[in-house]
Amino acid sequence: MNIQENIIQGIQLAFQNIYNHDLSLDQISLAPTRKEFEGTYTFVVFPFLKVSRTTPEATANQIGEYLKDSVSEVADFNVVKGFLNLVLNENSWLDVFSKIYANPNLGQLPANGQKVMVEYSSPNTNKPLHLGHLRNNFLGYSVAEILKANGYTVTKANLVNDRGIHICKSMVAYQHFANGETPETSGLKGDHLAGKYYVLFDQEYKKQIKELMAEGQTEEEAKKNAPILLEAQEMLRKWEANDEAVVTLWKQMNGWVYEGFDASYKRMGVDFDKTYYESNTYLLGKDIVEEGLKKEVFFKKENGSVWVDLTAEGLDEKLVLRGDGTSVYITQDMGTADLKYDDFKIDKSVYVVGNEQDYHFDVLFKIMQKLGRPYGPGLYHLSYGMVDLPTGKMKSREGTVVDADDLMQEMVDTAAAHTKELGKIEGFTPEQATELYEMLGLGALKYFLLKVDPKKRMLFNPQESIEFQGNTGPFIQYSHARIASILRKADQLGVDYSNFDGKGIEKVEESESALIFLLNDFEKKIKQAGDDYSPSILAQYLFDLAKEYNRFYADLPIFNENDPAILAFRVALSALTAKTIRKGMSLLGIAVPERM
């Protein structure tokens, strides 16, 4: 049991013994004491005055006296109105530190026996990945790693949208304009090659609409009658009929795209345990429609279409199958939800999808719950906001969307220029310098996209993200490199800190206890980030930890200390901070350098 748990249990006993009242442990919470007051933890008594039936000050004093007498960690207390500030004894900090320091599984909570799938990325195979995909992939990967750290068995899944009219548009344009061009002959990544023909389709389509309108058709008619669109629609029909030539071209172009995606994913540092393809799932779900009709969860209209009535749940009626028996998106999503469960027997399923799909997932989850699916209560939509860029800051391949590969490269180039300017690569070989630029550029990009609450729309500022000061990835990475340098020096000096046991330390300085306080919060923050599906909680914690370490280092220059026990303690405290930063950043998918 840690200090917080002991104090909370002590407060529970105080209410039993002083006021003859039983409080549950989850009714009691402690906050960090504000810097201007003495203390470590603060207990707010205002919510409990009906129980104590006395003033806030009297209540706080009564509980404070009880804790001082009966909880060994509490050395003293002070009361500011209804705020009980608790001062911990020196030995408590050393005990806390020693327990964390000796934990070989720091940052990994015990297995909880639950299985969860995190589905993210979900690209279309007609174009390359863009800035929005970066936020999606970084969020999905980080949430999966955080859930692993919370004791879940995690499956990372990718549902690739590899079929449909949009894919056929790229294919038709390729037939018209490519002259046999390939990634090898063009020098383009496969996904960029497919994207090039998607753009060419759009240009030709608009040209044909203008021509038809000049011949007297209305805009609406021209949009429907443009020959290139009719070709794409015919190609989709042929694909669904398994036409050999169409399927061969589809496989060839998708193959190029997957090679391109794989290269992008590798550079991003994300991976998947299972990939589903819409070409294999788009016919799923019709059996569930039949089941829903039998269970009277769905109903049929006169034209034969099938609907679900969700008005009682605050929504409306939703189509689940067209009158001609063809699927809509929700049909196949129901089928895919069952498929995932059949494959992995998951307790939870997290969909990382932008907030423009909020309504769709609300409907899907309510349907699966009404159908009584065992995984129904564990369905969760990790809805995230769009990412905007300051105008003109970044080039984009098509002028409308920011290409993921371009952005990653530009971030690495910016990191290289910035690092050289600051002179942080003295003694590096060219290979080591290149590795550092990659680590800093991608670390800056990931951290900046993850530090914001996923639900919020955000502005990504590339220049700000790469700074070595402020709430940035490079600041935390640089802090880790600084500690690694301290540990190398300690090793050279023969400081024995690996088996630190707290002996010989009589007093813990304020900046040391503040650092231990934060280190003690690490696993609590991992749990909170997992419960809320929010890497931003962990990102903020790591920034606070790096900041607190830099304050400690400025207050207490380590190698000026003559007492060998205190020196060993401060080096051990540094080592634990580095380990925590390293583990925490890895949960965000970010690597940290050993030197800079």
Side-chain angles (χ1 to χ4, degrees):
M1 200 179 285
N2 63 31
I3 288 180
Q4 276 179 283
E5 289 167 344
N6 282 347
I7 294 172
I8 286 170
Q9 202 170 69
I11 293 169
Q12 184 187 48
L13 291 169
F15 273 86
Q16 285 174 357
N17 291 311
I18 302 169
Y19 309 117
N20 195 26
H21 182 86
D22 287 329
L23 283 181
S24 64
L25 292 174
D26 59 10
Q27 287 178 277
I28 305 165
S29 63
L30 298 173
T33 302
R34 285 166 55 179
K35 295 279 187 201
E36 60 265 35
F37 301 115
E38 187 187 10
T40 304
Y41 294 111
T42 296
F43 176 60
V44 183
V45 303
F46 293 111
F48 307 101
L49 297 181
K50 283 183 181 173
V51 173
S52 66
R53 296 184 180 180
T54 183
T55 64
E57 290 84 352
T59 304
N61 274 296
Q62 287 166 349
I63 295 168
E65 289 292 350
Y66 182 90
L67 294 176
K68 189 176 171 182
D69 290 342
S70 54
V71 177
S72 60
E73 290 90 348
V74 177
D76 205 353
F77 69 92
N78 62 82
V79 174
V80 180
K81 298 181 179 173
F83 297 89
L84 170 59
N85 302 319
L86 302 169
V87 180
L88 304 191
N89 66 46
E90 300 290 345
N91 289 338
S92 293
W93 288 120
L94 285 172
D95 289 346
V96 170
F97 173 75
S98 298
K99 276 179 192 164
I100 310 171
Y101 193 63
N103 180 5
N105 300 314
L106 181 69
Q108 178 58 56
L109 305 182
N112 61 19
Q114 295 246 303
K115 293 179 181 177
V116 61
M117 178 178 282
V118 182
E119 180 196 297
Y120 59 98
S121 198
S122 303
N124 296 328
T125 59
N126 62 320
K127 55 190 174 185
L129 305 173
H130 55 68
L131 175 57
H133 286 116
L134 287 175
R135 190 178 198 190
N136 181 301
N137 278 281
F138 297 154
L139 266 175
Y141 178 86
S142 180
V143 165
E145 293 300 307
I146 288 167
L147 290 173
K148 276 187 202 172
N150 273 282
Y152 288 92
T153 299
V154 177
T155 302
K156 299 174 192 166
N158 187 359
L159 175 60
V160 180
N161 301 304
D162 65 338
R163 63 161 291 281
I165 191 68
H166 51 297
I167 310 298
C168 291
K169 287 176 180 178
S170 291
M171 291 164 62
V172 164
Y174 182 82
Q175 285 180 326
H176 276 280
F177 310 117
N179 294 317
E181 185 177 40
T182 68
E184 290 74 29
T185 62
S186 67
L188 286 173
K189 277 176 80 230
D191 50 334
H192 291 300
L193 187 67
K196 169 184 168 181
Y197 288 101
Y198 188 64
V199 172
L200 285 173
F201 175 93
D202 192 54
Q203 290 169 354
E204 181 64 22
Y205 178 50
K206 284 173 180 166
K207 187 175 127 195
Q208 290 183 6
I209 290 169
K210 278 185 183 174
E211 288 168 357
L212 292 174
M213 287 170 69
E215 291 170 13
Q217 292 192 22
T218 66
E219 186 177 359
E220 199 174 321
E221 287 169 338
K223 281 180 175 177
K224 285 179 185 171
N225 297 329
I228 198 164
L229 176 66
L230 297 176
E231 271 190 77
Q233 290 169 342
E234 176 59 20
M235 182 175 273
L236 180 58
R237 280 191 286 275
K238 285 182 174 178
W239 181 88
E240 289 181 353
N242 208 26
D243 178 273
E244 189 179 341
V246 170
V247 170
T248 299
L249 177 61
W250 173 75
K251 284 180 177 174
Q252 180 185 46
M253 290 186 72
N254 273 355
W256 294 338
V257 171
Y258 296 140
E259 282 182 22
F261 284 168
D262 286 347
S264 298
Y265 289 143
K266 187 175 179 184
R267 192 170 201 187
M268 281 180 214
V270 304
D271 58 7
F272 306 95
D273 305 305
K274 175 70 178 177
T275 301
Y276 291 101
Y277 298 93
E278 198 180 309
S279 53
N280 296 328
T281 65
Y282 80 105
L283 294 175
L284 296 177
K286 291 185 182 180
D287 55 335
I288 300 173
V289 173
E290 288 303 315
E291 176 196 342
L293 283 167
K294 281 178 191 162
K295 289 182 173 176
E296 298 184 351
V297 171
F298 303 149
F299 67 94
K300 202 173 264 196
K301 291 195 175 179
E302 285 177 10
N303 63 1
S305 60
V306 181
W307 296 71
V308 62
D309 183 358
L310 296 172
T311 48
E313 283 82 2
L315 299 175
D316 50 15
E317 292 183 351
K318 174 73 180 173
L319 177 71
V320 295
L321 196 71
R322 293 190 188 97
D324 61 4
T326 55
S327 300
V328 288
Y329 273 118
I330 203 100
T331 325
Q332 68 190 53
D333 281 352
M334 292 189 299
T336 307
D338 268 7
L339 178 63
K340 290 173 173 180
Y341 182 74
D342 291 342
D343 285 348
F344 294 98
K345 295 294 179 284
I346 45 179
D347 302 285
K348 292 176 185 283
S349 189
V350 179
Y351 295 76
V352 184
V353 182
N355 57 15
E356 70 277 6
Q357 295 291 332
D358 283 355
Y359 173 77
H360 176 82
F361 283 105
D362 199 5
V363 170
L364 175 65
F365 296 170
K366 283 184 167 64
I367 288 173
M368 301 323 282
Q369 285 158 16
K370 282 170 92 74
L371 288 168
R373 291 300 188 261
Y375 58 82
L379 293 167
Y380 183 79
H381 175 205
L382 177 46
S383 168
Y384 63 90
M386 283 186 65
V387 186
D388 299 311
L389 279 167
T391 311
K393 284 271 183 182
M394 276 278 168
K395 300 189 299 292
S396 75
R397 195 174 292 277
E398 294 160 28
T400 51
V401 293
V402 178
D403 180 83
D405 291 322
D406 286 352
L407 181 54
M408 286 191 284
Q409 186 56 50
E410 191 135 352
M411 289 300 299
V412 172
D413 293 344
T414 305
H418 199 53
T419 309
K420 285 173 189 169
E421 196 181 302
L422 295 172
K424 293 188 184 292
I425 51 162
E426 287 175 27
F428 277 57
T429 66
E431 294 76 19
Q432 288 169 335
T434 300
E435 189 182 340
L436 179 65
Y437 304 149
E438 189 81 11
M439 202 181 284
L440 292 174
L442 289 175
L445 178 59
K446 288 182 185 184
Y447 185 85
F448 207 95
L449 292 179
L450 289 174
K451 74 176 184 177
V452 177
D453 183 326
K455 294 178 183 66
K456 291 181 180 171
R457 186 168 186 150
M458 66 171 293
L459 181 73
F460 173 63
N461 187 324
Q463 207 57 47
E464 186 187 324
S465 74
I466 208 79
E467 294 295 332
F468 286 93
Q469 294 300 322
N471 190 2
T472 66
F475 169 70
I476 300 169
Q477 288 172 313
Y478 181 59
S479 299
H480 180 272
R482 166 184 262 182
I483 302 171
S485 164
I486 289 163
L487 299 180
R488 284 194 296 275
K489 184 173 179 181
D491 290 337
Q492 287 164 6
L493 294 173
V495 179
D496 181 15
Y497 61 90
S498 58
N499 298 311
F500 177 78
D501 58 6
K503 287 177 183 167
I505 309 293
E506 292 175 9
K507 185 177 186 321
V508 176
E509 300 293 341
E510 186 276 331
S511 55
E512 292 168 335
S513 64
L515 190 53
I516 296 168
F517 176 85
L518 267 183
L519 290 165
N520 190 43
D521 257 359
F522 181 41
E523 292 189 347
K524 191 172 85 176
K525 294 295 181 184
I526 290 175
K527 184 173 187 317
Q528 194 183 342
D531 289 346
D532 294 356
Y533 303 101
S534 180
S536 62
I537 291 167
L538 195 55
Q540 182 62 47
Y541 166 80
L542 292 166
F543 171 58
D544 291 340
L545 181 63
K547 216 167 35 169
E548 197 62 63
Y549 180 83
N550 284 297
R551 184 173 79 91
F552 151 78
Y553 184 72
D555 285 355
L556 303 167
I558 292 171
F559 296 108
N560 290 357
E561 180 54 57
N562 295 319
D563 185 317
I566 296 173
L567 175 61
F569 169 52
R570 288 177 185 163
V571 174
L573 188 53
S574 301
L576 180 59
T577 305
K579 183 180 178 182
T580 305
I581 288 173
R582 199 160 53 246
K583 174 65 178 176
M585 289 290 265
S586 77
L587 296 180
L588 300 179
I590 300 173
V592 288
E594 290 297 313
R595 63 193 188 102
M596 276 169 73

